[in-house]
Structures are given as structure tokens and as C-alpha cells.
Amino acid sequence: MKGQRFLGLAYLAPYIIGLLVFTAVPFLASLYLSFTDYDLLSAPEWVGWDNFKKLFTRDRTFWKSLNVTLLYVFITVPLKLAFALFIAAILNYRLRFINFFRTAFYVPSILGGSIAIAVLWRYMFASEGLVNMALGTVGLAPVDWFGDPGNALFTITLLRCWQFGSAMVIFLAALQSIDKSLYEAAAIDGASKTRIFFYITLPLLTPVIFFNLIMQMVQAFQEFNGPYIITQGGPLKSTYLLPLYIYDEAFKKFDMGYASAIAWVLFVIIMVLTLIAFWSSKKWVYYAGDKRS
Amino acid sequence: MDMQAFNDAQAARRARLMMLQQSIRYVLLFAVGLVMLYPLIWLVGASFKTNSEIFAGAGFLPRNPTLDGYIHGWQTSTPYTFGRFFWNSFLIILPKVIGTAISCTLAAYAFARFDFPLKKVFFVSVIAILLLPNVVTRIPQYILFRDFGWLDTFLPLWVPSALAGDAFFVFMLVQFLRSLPSDMEEAARVDGANSLQTLLYIVVPMLAPALISVCLFQFMWTMNDFLGPLIYLSSVDKYPVSLALKLSIDTTEAFEWNRILAMSVLTIAPALIIFFAAQRYFIEGISAGGVKG
Amino acid sequence: MARVQLKNLEKVYGGGVKAVHGIDLDIEDGEFMVFVGPSGCAKSTTLRMVAGLEEITGGEVIIGQTRVNDLPPGKRSIAMVFQNYALYPHMKVRGNLAFGLKIAGKSKPEIETAIDDVARILEIEPLLDRLPKQLSGGQAQRVALGRALIKKPGVFLFDEPLSNLDAKLRASMRVRITDLHRRLKAEGLSSTVIYVTHDQTEAMTMGDRICVMQAGRIMQVATPKELYNHPANLFVAGFIGSPEMNLLEGHLDGSDFVIGAQRLTLGIDVQARLASRPADAVLGVRPQHLTIADDGLEARLTHAEFMGHEVYLHAALEGQKIVAVVGAAEYEALGKAETIRLRPDAQHLHVFDKTDGRNVSLRGGSAAA
């Protein structure tokens, strides 16, 4: 638009400074650190692949943490998305009170990441907490949520799924942006409501599903607040997600090099999964797109 | 005609089926909504209960409402009241929101309205940061801030955002700005305005709805931010409400839940109030970022 | 058999707003019926009621022998071409064409043959494996046409299909559509068409009969020729024909029409048929029916539009605008004249009642439905 070639750069300057100082340099630094032994007091000492060797061969906590993290991600992400889509599809019918419902479902996701909600969750699943009381009213026995390794993961999974509202709002907006005349044409073609959903609606939603999938996955891998407050990673590390492990190593033990190594492993896992998702998207994502792209 | 009667019967059956389906939808939505919101409703109710009552039943109405939880919770077991902690949160949020608004607007203006060398590279960097798990930069950022001497200050918590570090907002504003016609800016140019004047007098007003969304989201996210303060703040007198709440779990007697719950309600109250006052901006903001992404 | 009957068809929206006021219309099997009118006249609403996309709140729609009020669109034996094409963006052209047949459970070979036939007729064979976003406007509209054709419906419904195309494309598509209609008819296939447009040129060139609508009511239903030569009311007179018919206000005095200080002798005495007093009326005469003659009405020339072969003369007659279409040579002959004398063709004069718009100079008085 403007003639001067460098004016744009001037406006971008704050971003560029931030990019370099707070993202690019730290990014490269963390790669470097992962090959060192660094405790903040003395200079970093190069140890080559030692950190990674230790990580993969001698660190049981790491493997436990990795397992738990993968389990968490692969359960919560599909569950949350499916539920969000399901509710959004229902809301897309010309129902009254749609705004009320939309708000009701969205509120949890704005509060969900807060400590307050984590605290609430800790109370809710305590032995004399709300959930066990509710189970009692329908005649079921109370469950040991925090003592039993199997159950603790469920509590934080539930917390994440409880926040499906943000994904739902995006799905709803996408649903409402589908050209109504497409549904009309399909109706005239004789398609039933179910057919319309699977052959018209769903394919047209695939870009948004893809976007949500990536965003949710990246966020899920970095979950910290919930497990930290509610279960402290226990019992027996059954909710010890990788971000918690990294935090402990870096800021409790100040073993920065090792922590960086773990962080990089996590990063690579996320990147690989993201790339797989991108690569697979060619197969199942239909871009209706602009006419000129 | 026989056809007539047959058609009418069919029509009646279809109408009945539609009504049944519609009622099922309402019931389902209502049930889900209730289950979703009950924890919050319970939370507010419980904050007004006495401790013994909290553990007595799952109902949310306090039999003898009391402000005991609030009064004692506010005092906290530290030399400071919760007022101090809210003030700290405010001291973080204010520069962060303002800084974000300014820097992201500048960056979006650059991307949407200018051509300059490396523009594509920088835009790709925005997307990269968006998808980047920031776990990988956290440790070096800590070391960086330590070297700046910024540990135990608020600076690490808002300076990166003031340099457009939150790619999500840059992305959102760029998308929004791209969808606005540049006619008015060209008219301003013909009127003799330079790019900065055009930005301030023409673009920013047009950008207002999206900017409000940005500020609201940043406010919410910062209120909920826990890991950042956890890493960088060591003095209790600097704790924002998220850390203060965590502190109160650690220091409060095991059964004095009503104080913790009361403070939890207070910490989410600002977010809730703002959300309800400005709902529209939240929903539109998240949809704009998501649908076009 | 695919005639369409609209019986006292009404559309009332919640809140009591009546959009369509009791429409009665009989569309013959194989007829190309055009609904035309300005925006908001409810022509699309009526079409959509026939399609089943709008609920019918009063009256009936009968397609063939069946009352279709409660039938879903898929069961009415109709096909529709939308203004914005409504092609499924995620399916290739082939998929778009096949969709309806797949739903109907046709076998693969059947579908393939049908696609090939339609593709040949509409010349879209090279486009079959493209996505809608890769098509130009004209190509997309042909595909939309193909999607309708392939279903062999009883009735074809068109909702302003050419509005999104540029003028040149519009002209060629008009011809293509009318050709198709003629072909279907010749082959004995079902070819009833209801075509909605706001463009009176499309209406006049394509329709067997035209239904002129305004504010949810039928103003007149007739052949293009009939509408042009015998408009039943002021609205139709002003709507059909380009440039618009001149409508001059004045009053009747015996068998004369008085405009300001000038008088025009009509051939007929219609004063008795007027509903208004004191004999206020509107005189209608088409620009093509005015010639420059010494015994004509005097008008002051304001400007001229050069159209090549013809010239549109804009003038002021007793303060009212009047337009005449004359040949280029006639215009040259005027030289630098500032006033001209225009004589209307006595065979093509209309007198309209000012209060209700009726054309009182028609033989028999009222419009044929």
C-alpha cells in the first residue's frame, strides 16, 4: 500500500525486538542448554548427549511422566472436541435461548484455567467433597479420587473437558457461517438431515476441526495449573504431566540443563504430532476457500 | 382424494417427530448446562456457608449465610490482606493489557497494510510462535530475566507481551484488519495524513471491536496466569491473586475451606463480571480468530 | 404431467406481516413462466413456497396432481437453480451433479451415464473434475443448471440465476436456458419452468407468460406481447418496456386529454370509466411511439442520449419529463432546435385511472389473468 519499503518494518519493530529477545534467542539457548549441565551458580558445562542418554535409559520418572502425558492428551483432546462439536451442532438448530446456552457452556472455559477452579476441583473430589456426596445421593459408594492412581487422572481429564466451551464457540461460529442455500440445495436433492450433516456440514467443518485439533493438542501437552494444584502430580506420579516434571527439575532442583533436555523432548513430540496432523490434513480437510487463493 | 389423507397423515407424523426431537434437544442442553454450571453455583453458595455446612450436603444454598469465610479469608495468614494481592494483579494487568494493545496494533498494521522485505518470513514467525509450545523457551527466558536483574519484579510478566509477544493477538488483529476495506485510509492519505495519523485517527477506531476483544482476553488470561508469577515472584508482598490463592491452600487449616472458597470466588469475580458485561466481544473475538484460522 | 397450480397462496410471517396476498395462478405443463417485479415484491418467497423452502401459511400448491403443501422439497419432483449457485464447495463438479441421484439410490452406471449426458448438453465435460472454487461464474451457473437437469424433475425453479453474472454472460446464458427449454419440450420431457427475476429484459425475452408482481400481489399475468401492448395498470405499464413508458399527468375533457396548456385528441371516450373526479388521469405512451411531427405536442428539449442507431430524446412537456426514441437521421434533422413537437401514435395510447391505476382504455376494461 505505502511506497516506502521500510516504514512497515518500523511499525513491526516492537514485535521484531520481542521476537528476537524473548523467543528466538531463548529458543536456541534452550537447545544449547539441553546439552549442558547448568545450575545457575556456575557457568554451563557442556556434557554432550549425557542428559538425553540419562533421560531415555535411566530415568523412570521421565517414562512414567511421558506415558501419563500422552494418555492425558489422547483422551482429552478427542473427547473435548467431539463434545464441543456435538453441542455446537445441537445449538445450531434454530433454538430459542441459544445465547443463554452458549454463555452457560462458555463460562467454564474462561474460568477453567484459573487457580480458583483448580481449588474448587480439589475440594469437589476430596473424600467428603461434592462429587462423593452427589454419588451418595444416588446410592453409589464414594470413590477415592486422590488416593487411587487410576482415578486421579480422571479428575484432571474432567477439568479439561469441562472447558469445551471455547472450542464449541468456534464450531458454532463455523456452523453458522455455512451458506444456508447449500442446505436448501441438499434438501431439494432429497437428502435427509443425517445425510446433510455427514455429507455437507462435516466436510465443510474440517478446516475448523483441524485448527481446533492443533490448538487443543498443543495446549493439552502443556497443562500445568490443574495437576499442580489439584493432585500435585500424584498419587504415585499418576498425574505427573511432563510440564510438572520440567518445572520441578528447573525451578526446584535448578538442574537447568536436564530440564531443558526434557523440554526439548516434549517439544519434538509436539512438533512431530503437529506435522503428522498437517500432513494428514491433505487427506481429510476440505478448504472451500476463497475463489482466488 | 386418498393421496390427500395420506399426505396429511404423513405431515402430522413429521410434525410430531420434529417436536419430539426439539424437546429432546432442549432437555439435553439443559441437563448438560446444569451439570456444567453446578460446580460454580455451588462454589458461590459454599463461600457463604460455615465450614461444617460445606461438608454436610451437596446443596448450594447456605442455611445460615455468613460472611465469615470472606472476612477471614481476606485477612489471610500473611501480613497482607487480599486487597494487596488484587492490587498486585492490577499492577501486572494494566501495563500488560496496554502494552499488548499498542504493540499488537502496530504489528497488525504493519502486516495488513504494508509491504516490506522479509514480510513473509515474519508472518510465518507469528504462526510459528502461535503453535510453539512455550515450555521450550521458559527456562532460557528465566535465565535472561535473571541476567537483566528482573527476578522478583513484575517486569518479566508483562514486558514480552508489550512487545507483541502474544502471537494469538497479533494474528487476530491482522485477520480483522485484512477484512476491513482500505478505502478510508486511502482517502486520509489523499487528505495528506501520514501513516501514523492514519493509524491513530482512522484505523484504530475501525479496529476498536477487535481491540476490545484483545484487551478482554488478555485481562482474563493474565488474571489466571499462575506459572509465570510462580517462577518469577518470590516475595509474598508481590503475589498476585493466583499465587495468593495457592498460598492460602498451603497455609490454611485443613478444614477452613470456606475461607479458601470465598477468596476463590473473589478471584474469579472480576473475570465473570467483565465477561457478562462484554460477552459479545469474547464470542466474536474467539470466533474471528478461530474460524478464519 | 407437471402443471403447477397456486390456489389462494398466502405467506404470513410471525408478527402478522403478510408478504404474499392470496395468489391464484395456473401454470401449464411445459410452460416457461416468469415471475418478475421489483425487490420486495415477494416473487422469491412465492417460488420458495413452491419449492418447500418456505412454509405455506395459507392456500395450496399443487404440482401435477399432488397437493404438496406438506411434502419436503426432496419429494416434490422439483429442481432449483440458485442465484449464488449453491454448489457444494467440497465436492468436485462430478460429485455435485451426482449427489441427488446418489440419494435417490441410483446405480453407479446409471449415474455415470446421466452425468455424461448432462455434461455434453451443457458443455461442461472438461470441468467435471474441478472444484466449484475453480470455476468462473458462467461455468458455475452451468453446473448448477446441470445439477437441476440431471434429476429430470417435473418442475424447474430458477431464483434470479443470472443476477451474479456480467451483462455479456447474462445474454448468452439467457439464450442457453431458453434453448434448453425448447429442447426438453421437443423431446417430450418435463419442461415446466418457474423463473424469478427482477430484470424485465430477461422476463420479456424468456417467458411464455409473465407474472408481474408487486408487494405480494399479481399485477398482471400475460404473454410478453400482451403485457407490452396492453398493460392492465400503471405499475405494469411503467415496469415493462425499456426505456420506460411515458406517464403524463393531466385530465380528461370529453374525448380530449389535457396536459397543462395543451390538448390531445384521443380516439375514444373513456371519461365514464374513471373512478376519480374531476376526471384526473394519466396518459401512457411509449417512447418508441412518439414521432417528431409538426402537429405534435410541444416540448422543450433538455438533452439527448446517442445510442448509435437511435437517439433517446429527453424533453419537458408542460413541466413533465417525456422521452422519445427517434432514428439518428431524424435527430440530425433537428439541428440546434430547442423545442420539438412530438406526436403520439393513436394506436398505442393508454389512459390510466389515477386512483387505482387501472388501464381504462383497454377493450373490456380489465386485465386477463
Side-chain angles (χ1 to χ4, degrees):
Chain A
M1 296 279 167
K2 307 277 182 166
Q4 301 131 295
R5 296 185 72 218
F6 297 99
L7 192 54
L9 276 177
Y11 282 107
L12 204 55
Y15 170 77
I16 298 179
I17 297 174
L19 174 69
L20 290 173
V21 175
F22 296 118
T23 307
V25 167
F27 183 73
L28 295 170
S30 81
L31 184 59
Y32 164 70
L33 279 179
S34 63
F35 292 106
T36 68
D37 190 2
Y38 184 40
D39 61 359
L40 284 188
L41 297 173
S42 34
E45 187 193 316
W46 183 266
V47 292
W49 292 97
D50 277 3
N51 287 333
F52 293 102
K53 270 195 239 156
K54 176 171 167 210
L55 200 56
F56 287 113
T57 59
R58 296 194 314 260
D59 191 344
R60 275 206 303 216
T61 314
F62 168 71
W63 285 107
K64 176 83 186 167
S65 182
L66 181 63
N67 274 336
V68 169
T69 310
L70 288 175
L71 192 63
Y72 176 72
V73 171
F74 286 120
I75 295 181
T76 59
V77 172
L79 211 64
K80 188 172 169 184
L81 285 185
F83 203 62
L85 185 55
F86 175 64
I87 299 286
I90 296 183
L91 279 181
N92 195 35
Y93 285 93
R94 276 169 291 133
L95 295 174
R96 284 182 292 184
F97 314 127
I98 186 181
N99 287 328
F100 164 75
F101 284 121
R102 192 177 59 176
T103 306
F105 296 133
Y106 187 62
V107 164
S109 55
I110 49 166
L111 301 175
S114 69
I115 302 303
I117 296 301
V119 166
L120 175 63
W121 232 249
R122 186 151 138 174
Y123 165 75
M124 269 175 47
F125 287 96
S127 354
E128 321 90 30
L130 187 61
V131 173
N132 279 342
M133 279 199 272
L135 287 178
T137 55
V138 290
L140 293 168
V143 178
D144 185 7
W145 297 106
F146 296 136
D148 189 329
N151 296 328
L153 191 60
F154 175 76
T155 63
I156 55 169
T157 305
L158 193 66
L159 178 58
R160 175 155 268 268
C161 291
W162 187 64
Q163 299 171 53
F164 73 85
S166 51
M168 179 204 80
V169 163
I170 295 182
F171 279 136
L172 190 58
L175 278 172
Q176 290 177 334
S177 75
I178 294 180
D179 192 356
K180 300 279 183 296
S181 58
L182 288 178
Y183 294 134
E184 293 175 347
I188 291 179
D189 272 342
S192 63
K193 285 255 164 71
T194 326
R195 261 230 160 85
I196 292 184
F197 183 77
F198 282 104
Y199 281 96
I200 312 280
T201 315
L202 211 51
L204 289 176
L205 281 182
T206 47
V208 172
I209 295 177
F210 177 66
F211 171 79
N212 267 341
L213 182 69
I214 304 271
M215 301 296 322
Q216 292 298 324
M217 190 179 71
V218 172
Q219 283 168 21
F221 268 112
Q222 300 180 80
E223 184 72 59
F224 181 82
N225 291 5
Y228 186 77
I229 300 283
I230 303 174
T231 58
Q232 296 92 49
L236 302 180
K237 302 267 188 296
S238 61
T239 59
Y240 199 53
L241 299 188
L242 278 174
L244 267 77
Y245 189 31
I246 296 173
Y247 172 79
D248 278 347
E249 289 295 305
F251 300 106
K252 290 256 179 66
K253 293 215 222 141
F254 291 101
D255 195 349
M256 296 287 178
Y258 196 59
S260 295
I262 309 175
W264 262 86
V265 171
L266 179 58
F267 174 68
V268 167
I269 295 175
I270 299 178
M271 280 296 111
V272 166
L273 287 174
T274 306
L275 283 172
I276 293 179
F278 267 101
W279 173 81
S280 81
S281 76
K282 294 198 193 354
K283 305 276 170 65
W284 57 276
V285 177
Y286 300 95
Y287 283 105
D290 327 289
K291 278 219 150 199
R292 302 128 203 252
S293 352
Chain B
M1 282 197 298
D2 248 351
M3 263 322 265
Q4 184 77 333
F6 178 69
N7 275 347
D8 285 346
Q10 281 255 340
R13 212 176 314 140
R14 253 195 304 273
R16 272 200 303 273
L17 191 65
M18 280 225 333
M19 207 156 76
L20 184 67
Q21 286 175 337
Q22 203 76 327
S23 339
I24 293 181
R25 282 182 204 125
Y26 276 112
V27 167
L28 188 68
L29 287 178
F30 193 69
V32 172
L34 194 64
V35 169
M36 293 270 290
L37 291 181
Y38 192 73
L40 295 173
I41 302 172
W42 185 89
L43 174 65
V44 175
S47 66
F48 291 103
K49 289 184 185 173
T50 61
N51 278 309
S52 39
E53 214 195 321
I54 292 181
F55 294 103
F60 68 89
L61 279 178
R63 225 161 301 160
N64 302 309
T66 164
L67 286 178
D68 190 51
Y70 284 94
I71 298 173
H72 286 115
W74 187 264
Q75 310 292 20
T76 78
S77 33
T78 68
Y80 316 100
T81 67
F82 242 86
R84 174 67 186 239
F85 301 131
F86 270 104
W87 178 248
N88 288 336
S89 282
F90 176 74
L91 288 179
I92 300 173
I93 290 176
L94 191 65
K96 192 165 180 182
V97 168
I98 296 178
T100 303
I102 296 177
S103 61
C104 292
T105 302
L106 292 174
Y109 190 48
F111 281 121
R113 294 293 192 248
F114 292 86
D115 266 321
F116 46 86
L118 300 179
K119 178 175 171 178
K120 275 218 172 82
V121 170
F122 284 122
F123 194 67
V124 168
S125 76
V126 174
I127 308 216
I129 300 181
L130 194 60
L131 297 178
L132 184 81
N134 50 26
V135 67
V136 86
T137 51
R138 206 166 283 139
I139 296 170
Q141 276 176 358
Y142 179 82
I143 299 173
L144 186 72
F145 289 127
R146 186 198 62 154
D147 291 342
F148 284 175
W150 287 5
L151 289 189
D152 206 28
T153 70
F154 292 144
L155 291 166
L157 300 175
W158 62 265
V159 172
S161 294
L163 290 175
D166 293 308
F168 179 75
F169 298 128
V170 175
F171 190 69
M172 199 169 113
L173 287 179
V174 169
Q175 295 293 79
F176 190 83
L177 199 47
R178 278 197 180 145
S179 74
L180 296 176
S182 48
D183 299 352
M184 280 159 279
E185 295 158 63
E186 288 172 354
R189 207 167 131 206
V190 168
D191 276 345
N194 62 29
S195 64
L196 187 60
Q197 289 165 321
T198 311
L199 173 64
L200 290 175
Y201 296 116
I202 313 285
V203 178
V204 168
M206 287 202 297
L207 216 42
L211 268 181
I212 296 179
S213 293
V214 165
C215 294
L216 291 175
F217 271 109
Q218 186 65 298
F219 174 84
M220 299 286 246
W221 288 353
T222 315
M223 285 279 323
N224 287 346
D225 189 20
F226 177 70
L227 189 54
L230 185 65
I231 297 179
Y232 292 112
L233 299 174
S234 41
S235 332
V236 177
D237 67 330
K238 297 210 179 78
Y239 276 11
V241 295
S242 50
L243 282 188
L245 202 51
K246 164 76 169 67
L247 187 65
S248 65
I249 305 178
D250 294 337
T251 58
T252 310
E253 293 292 327
F255 62 89
E256 282 171 349
W257 277 96
N258 65 348
R259 300 185 190 178
I260 298 175
L261 294 181
M263 290 305 103
S264 301
V265 172
L266 278 189
T267 57
I268 59 176
L272 272 178
I273 295 172
I274 291 202
F275 174 72
F276 280 107
Q279 255 185 75
R280 187 163 68 93
Y281 293 106
F282 274 98
I283 311 273
E284 281 175 19
I286 203 178
S287 318
V291 175
K292 294 177 193 154
Chain C
M1 266 289 126
R3 63 195 278 244
V4 181
Q5 294 167 283
L6 307 181
K7 292 201 163 120
N8 200 27
L9 193 59
E10 271 193 356
K11 178 71 184 177
V12 180
Y13 287 109
V17 176
K18 208 177 210 185
V20 177
H21 300 256
I23 290 199
D24 283 295
L25 189 60
D26 259 343
I27 303 172
E28 304 291 317
D29 179 30
E31 182 173 19
F32 196 113
M33 168 67 76
V34 178
F35 287 179
V36 74
S39 304
C41 69
K43 52 195 188 295
S44 278
T45 312
T46 310
L47 185 78
R48 288 164 66 85
M49 281 198 279
V50 175
L53 299 171
E54 288 278 350
E55 209 189 307
I56 299 173
T57 54
E60 321 186 291
V61 173
I62 302 174
I63 299 183
Q65 307 278 40
T66 327
R67 177 177 182 273
V68 301
N69 284 38
D70 301 307
L71 288 180
K75 295 203 163 67
R76 294 190 186 198
S77 182
I78 53 159
M80 187 150 159
V81 179
F82 293 82
Q83 181 176 355
N84 64 354
Y85 328 130
L87 296 177
Y88 307 122
H90 57 291
M91 298 184 200
K92 298 200 183 134
V93 169
R94 214 180 265 280
N96 268 278
L97 293 174
F99 192 66
L101 295 180
K102 259 200 337 201
I103 307 252
K106 297 268 188 283
S107 70
K108 238 180 164 206
E110 265 184 284
I111 298 182
E112 288 297 312
T113 335
I115 293 181
D116 288 334
D117 284 341
V118 163
R120 218 181 332 113
I121 297 175
L122 290 168
E123 293 169 331
I124 50 176
E125 279 144 321
L127 307 174
L128 285 175
D129 288 303
R130 292 212 203 153
L131 288 173
K133 68 177 172 178
Q134 297 166 306
L135 302 173
S136 71
Q139 292 169 333
Q141 200 48 292
R142 270 183 285 153
V143 173
L145 203 48
R147 187 172 59 178
L149 259 181
I150 205 171
K151 290 168 49 177
K152 299 201 164 55
V155 184
F156 291 89
L157 304 173
F158 289 85
D159 192 358
E160 308 219 33
L162 307 184
S163 306
N164 285 0
L165 305 176
D166 64 66
K168 230 178 173 181
L169 253 177
R170 231 178 286 163
S172 63
M173 282 295 286
R174 267 191 349 240
V175 173
R176 199 185 274 273
I177 294 176
T178 40
D179 261 348
L180 256 170
H181 180 246
R182 227 170 298 144
R183 225 166 127 173
L184 286 173
K185 223 168 166 180
E187 291 174 20
L189 294 167
S190 204
S191 53
T192 315
V193 171
I194 305 181
Y195 187 102
V196 164
T197 178
H198 61 270
D199 184 330
Q200 60 103 34
T201 315
E202 268 172 50
M204 293 291 276
T205 55
M206 298 171 88
D208 288 333
R209 274 194 302 161
I210 301 174
C211 172
V212 182
M213 291 179 69
Q214 193 207 23
R217 282 177 229 270
I218 296 183
M219 290 286 119
Q220 187 175 1
V221 182
T223 61
K225 187 171 172 185
E226 182 73 12
L227 283 180
Y228 186 81
N229 289 320
H230 303 293
N233 51 59
L234 263 177
F235 179 77
V236 176
F239 191 82
I240 301 285
S242 181
E244 276 179 39
M245 180 189 280
N246 292 301
L247 297 169
L248 302 162
E249 306 210 354
H251 65 270
L252 287 171
D253 183 13
S255 61
D256 284 352
F257 194 88
V258 182
I259 310 174
Q262 307 193 46
R263 270 176 177 271
L264 181 69
T265 309
L266 309 168
I268 40 177
D269 181 357
V270 292
Q271 189 159 355
R273 301 196 205 155
L274 286 181
S276 52
R277 299 276 176 272
D280 282 339
V282 177
L283 182 73
V285 59
R286 296 207 180 271
Q288 293 85 353
H289 298 143
L290 290 168
T291 42
I292 300 180
D294 294 327
D295 59 345
L297 299 165
E298 191 176 312
R300 188 176 51 84
L301 195 56
T302 50
H303 66 282
E305 286 179 292
F306 183 72
M307 304 301 268
H309 179 64
E310 302 169 317
V311 177
Y312 292 179
L313 289 176
H314 294 254
L317 172 65
E318 301 294 324
Q320 297 183 54
K321 289 210 182 97
I322 188 168
V323 180
V325 174
V326 300
E330 269 185 277
Y331 178 65
E332 294 295 316
L334 282 180
K336 290 222 176 42
E338 283 185 6
T339 58
I340 48 176
R341 300 195 81 97
L342 297 166
R343 185 185 62 203
D345 182 343
Q347 298 296 327
H348 291 100
L349 280 175
H350 303 270
V351 178
F352 299 94
D353 186 321
K354 202 167 169 187
T355 39
D356 61 9
R358 268 180 316 131
N359 186 342
V360 297
S361 54
L362 281 179
R363 241 133 281 156
S366 50

